[in-house]
Amino acid sequence: MALVMRVLAVLGNFVGCLMTLAGLVWALQGLNLLPGTFMRGDLKWTAIGAVTAVVGLGLIALLNRGPKAA
């Protein structure tokens, strides 16, 4: 059981990192700071990217918090 939980934690951290990186790219493209696709210069993508990055960071923080004090 501990091995399964550890694998899920590693997988969750990986997904959180991908979400954070994707969110940052989307936000920077929305701000017209990165060359890219149709997202460039669209503030809607800045908001979507910021929310995605915050959710990714929240997932990482949730999975890496210490054990509960008894």
Side-chain angles (χ1 to χ4, degrees):
M1 186 68 170
L3 177 63
V4 171
M5 296 303 291
R6 184 68 190 138
V7 168
L8 288 176
V10 169
L11 183 61
N13 278 309
F14 181 71
V15 169
C17 287
L18 285 179
M19 287 178 69
T20 302
L21 290 174
L24 287 173
V25 168
W26 293 345
L28 291 173
Q29 283 181 340
L31 290 171
N32 208 16
L33 296 175
L34 280 180
T37 60
F38 62 92
M39 297 180 228
R40 187 169 180 171
D42 188 351
L43 290 180
K44 174 181 72 173
W45 284 102
T46 303
I48 292 171
V51 169
T52 304
V54 168
V55 170
L57 288 173
L59 179 61
I60 293 168
L62 180 69
L63 291 172
N64 290 301
R65 62 187 170 154
K68 291 184 180 179

